[in-house]
Amino acid sequence: MTSDWWADAAVYQIYPRSFADSGDDGLGDLRGVTSRVPYLSSLGIDAVWLSPFYPSALADGGYDVDDYRDVDPRLGTLDDFDEMVAALHSAGIRVIVDLVPNHTSDRHAWFTEALAAPKDSPARDRYVFRDGTGPDGAGPPSDWQSIFGGSAWAQAPDGQWYLHMFAPEQPDLNWDNPEVRADFLTTLRFWADRGVDGFRIDVAHGLTKDLTEPFTPTAELPDLADADGTHPLWDRDEVHDIYAEWRRVFDEYDPPRMAVAEACVAPSRRHRYVGVDGLHQAFNFDLLEAAWDAEEFRARIDRQVADTESAGASATWVLSNHDVVRHATRYGLPGAEDNPRETAAAWLLSDGTEPPLDRDLGLRRARAATLLTLALPGSVYLYQGEELGLHEVGDLPTELIHDPEFRRSGGTRKGRDGCRVPIPWTSNGPSFGFSRGTPHLPQPEWFADYSVAAEEADPHSTLEIYRRALALRSKLRGRGFAWHDETRPQVLHFVRPEGWDCITNFGSQPVPLPEGTILFASAPIDAHLLPPNTTVWFLSGETPT
Ligand code: GLC
């Protein structure tokens, strides 16, 4: 086993409540994951990353954690966790768990204690409590807004206010408090001792804050995109002291445990999260926000390759996750060329009607984009269901929406439930094989066509493309990467010196392929012409006759 397995791993993200339910409560669980190890193994991934499975009231899909060292009883027990890890490990699949250090839930024992404790007490010091402004302190301490909308402050019953950069059920921790720091070290060891191979660090750029008063008003806060470490709330330089301490813990283990940061920071500052005295990787969300356009992809790939090279790190490629509209859908929305994020948000708000989604086009491009990222150096993070080519569910009735973003934005943002609908395993049955009960989010009829069973029966399905591509990808060696001197518009062509060429046609016309042998393609290829919206893996040389 190499200790830097993560550097070019294919990691598959499981959103446990929506993956597989071994019972009948309609909520996916850990035994469900264990039962699907053969499926995960057949996919050819190196690791799974599990979104939170800890006890939670699900105010934010589990990212509101009541207890960091336990399993939600609805999802199983610690014994189930151990069995799942053992089953995954025996299939050669490593396990990454999600750690949420910026905030606890409001049901965490510390927060209950803080609410019951007086002002200025040690219990309140674990969080960020402040007096309000105006007569009787009835106004929030500042005008800061939470990421989900509305004030970032909520009032405790005794009138003091506490900070929550996300939902009010997610009070921010005070990382200047030594007890908070020590407790997270205990949590890291708790899971590392149970055999966990790595951690995904939620909101890694948020932990340390400069909360000296007076607070800077929102209008005067620096833009995070060009932040220089002086923003009071995000991406402060001293956050790295925490990760240096964590790194010492990771390195106590053999093999060392790894960590990947969710750091939503200026690209020029991303590398600060990785290094020998920091975390191992930081997610790069650049491609996830790119329109289907060769120049955009090229610029973002260049930036990531250059940044990671200069930091001595490895790249991370992400097209979908539990927070964004699925990439098959993003690429099938007309208008998304100009502003993919806003087009997808508007489409969700229209219940998936405007602009009309071209499912086939989106899926075709999604397959091509996936093959492109699978050929790049570094690791790739895949999100459950993308291997089936699943589209976003755009028409979830608003009364069933769980995401706090929907209500806190006053209904102006639909939220992220549409990519969290339970996976279809079979083409029939009440929940397409997900559960014996009613799934916690309803699955649309069209899921039948995208089920694992349907796709296993079709050699040209998205699932089969992922399986074959992942198997081939495992033969790619080294970190070498170079653009070919190809100059055709809307065509990207790069070379992996110890592997093969990868050519993507983003345009609307077929383009001739150079001399050589086709290894694999995201769509059928005729007459040595690369069709629109297609990626090919290719060995240059003489074309076999
Ligand atoms: C991260 C998670 C997201 C969650 C937020 C607050 O961005 O990916 O799902 O809502 O953190 O924990």
Side-chain angles (χ1 to χ4, degrees):
M1 284 210 187
T2 56
S3 59
D4 63 351
W5 58 269
W6 40 268
D8 51 14
V11 183
Y12 180 85
Q13 181 190 357
I14 292 181
Y15 190 75
R17 291 172 177 83
S18 299
F19 186 63
D21 178 19
S22 69
D24 53 16
D25 65 355
L27 211 54
D29 51 33
L30 299 187
R31 282 175 173 234
V33 176
T34 308
S35 73
R36 298 296 180 182
V37 169
Y39 173 76
L40 296 167
S41 184
S42 75
L43 208 48
I45 47 156
D46 302 296
V48 292
W49 145 34
L50 292 138
S51 279
F53 47 79
Y54 314 110
S56 168
L58 302 183
D60 179 23
Y63 285 88
D64 45 322
V65 179
D66 298 350
D67 179 349
Y68 292 88
R69 302 194 280 270
D70 205 351
V71 173
D72 189 321
R74 290 168 295 180
L75 270 64
T77 62
L78 283 168
D79 285 343
D80 293 334
F81 180 84
D82 293 341
E83 271 175 38
M84 176 191 74
V85 171
L88 286 162
H89 280 172
S90 55
I93 299 173
R94 292 180 171 86
V95 181
I96 297 174
V97 298
D98 215 315
L99 191 73
V100 189
N102 181 66
H103 41 264
T104 68
S105 81
D106 61 346
R107 308 196 313 173
H108 191 284
W110 277 355
F111 196 68
T112 312
E113 197 188 331
L115 287 186
K119 200 175 140 169
D120 297 327
S121 56
R124 286 210 171 177
D125 188 60
R126 297 188 191 113
Y127 294 91
V128 182
F129 278 86
R130 292 291 185 275
D131 290 332
T133 49
D136 309 326
S142 73
D143 70 344
W144 293 342
Q145 298 293 295
S146 91
I147 301 288
F148 295 146
S151 174
W153 298 94
Q155 208 164 15
D158 72 348
Q160 263 211 315
W161 295 76
Y162 65 89
L163 182 71
H164 60 85
M165 292 314 299
F166 292 87
E169 295 87 349
Q170 294 167 296
D172 278 46
L173 284 164
N174 169 19
W175 275 87
D176 286 337
N177 181 307
E179 222 187 318
V180 169
R181 293 199 179 212
D183 194 69
F184 271 87
L185 299 183
T186 307
T187 297
L188 292 176
R189 290 197 173 93
F190 179 86
W191 295 108
D193 288 345
R194 295 196 105 89
V196 152
D197 303 278
F199 298 86
R200 177 258 186 193
I201 315 300
D202 190 64
V203 195
H205 56 301
L207 279 47
T208 54
K209 299 176 177 80
D210 177 6
L211 296 168
T212 44
E213 295 181 46
F215 296 130
T216 311
T218 302
E220 289 166 32
L221 290 175
D223 187 346
L224 195 55
D226 38 54
D228 54 3
T230 59
H231 196 294
L233 300 169
W234 306 113
D235 191 27
R236 296 192 58 79
D237 292 338
E238 60 282 8
V239 78
H240 302 296
D241 300 342
I242 298 171
Y243 301 132
E245 197 175 11
W246 289 11
R247 182 60 178 259
R248 290 193 285 278
V249 174
F250 300 144
D251 288 348
E252 284 166 13
Y253 288 85
D254 182 22
R257 302 326 193 217
M258 64 76 73
V260 52
E262 183 206 30
C264 303
V265 300
S268 61
R269 290 178 59 85
R270 201 181 285 132
H271 68 273
R272 291 168 175 257
Y273 289 78
V274 301
V276 288
D277 50 3
L279 306 175
H280 301 71
Q281 289 189 316
F283 281 134
N284 166 10
F285 295 137
D286 291 4
L287 277 190
L288 185 145
E289 289 171 353
W292 181 249
D293 175 79
E295 282 313 304
E296 251 195 71
F297 265 65
R298 182 172 174 140
R300 288 164 193 248
I301 292 168
D302 272 342
R303 189 162 69 194
Q304 162 89 170
V305 169
D307 283 356
T308 46
E309 247 169 38
S310 62
S314 71
T316 57
W317 306 105
V318 186
L319 292 170
S320 280
N321 66 27
H322 67 297
D323 287 332
V324 297
V325 170
R326 287 183 177 279
H327 67 283
T329 302
R330 295 200 311 266
Y331 298 146
L333 294 175
E337 302 81 24
D338 299 327
N339 196 331
R341 189 198 280 252
E342 276 178 23
T343 308
W347 177 83
L348 274 178
L349 263 188
S350 74
D351 285 341
T353 56
E354 278 303 319
L357 170 65
D358 184 335
R359 276 182 201 280
D360 293 342
L361 178 68
L363 179 55
R364 188 180 174 102
R365 289 176 170 173
R367 290 172 172 184
T370 297
L371 232 61
L372 185 160
T373 56
L374 288 180
L376 287 166
S379 54
V380 60
Y381 284 79
L382 309 169
Y383 176 54
Q384 69 178 37
E386 68 165 84
E387 79 280 18
L388 303 173
L390 275 187
H391 277 281
E392 185 85 1
V393 179
D395 56 355
L396 286 171
T398 50
E399 63 278 13
L400 297 180
I401 295 285
H402 300 167
D403 192 345
E405 195 177 14
F406 175 64
R407 277 172 199 90
R408 291 199 53 88
S409 69
T412 58
R413 299 203 302 259
K414 184 99 179 259
R416 300 157 294 174
D417 295 279
C419 64
R420 301 176 181 182
V421 174
I423 294 297
W425 293 94
T426 55
S427 295
N428 38 44
S431 69
F432 299 118
F434 164 71
S435 168
R436 290 193 295 276
T438 308
H440 66 104
L441 281 170
Q443 300 154 302
E445 284 306 312
W446 53 262
F447 261 34
D449 299 336
Y450 293 78
S451 75
V452 172
E455 298 206 13
E456 280 186 332
D458 172 5
H460 304 295
S461 66
T462 312
L463 177 58
E464 292 310 313
I465 289 177
Y466 269 69
R467 283 177 171 164
R468 289 173 58 197
L470 283 161
L472 261 176
R473 178 185 185 272
S474 65
K475 299 190 175 64
L476 272 178
R477 297 277 169 266
R479 304 274 157 81
F481 167 87
W483 292 110
H484 189 274
D485 51 13
E486 163 90 66
T487 51
R488 288 177 291 183
Q490 291 301 338
V491 176
L492 285 191
H493 182 167
F494 61 84
V495 185
R496 295 296 308 277
E498 293 162 83
W500 49 79
D501 290 22
C502 176
I503 312 175
T504 303
N505 180 2
F506 287 78
S508 52
Q509 298 301 320
V511 293
L513 283 169
E515 288 284 298
T517 312
I518 293 164
L519 288 179
F520 191 53
S522 62
I525 294 194
D526 279 333
H528 221 62
L529 283 176
L530 183 61
N533 305 309
T534 306
T535 293
V536 65
W537 290 355
F538 191 79
L539 275 181
S540 50
E542 226 166 275
T543 306
T545 45

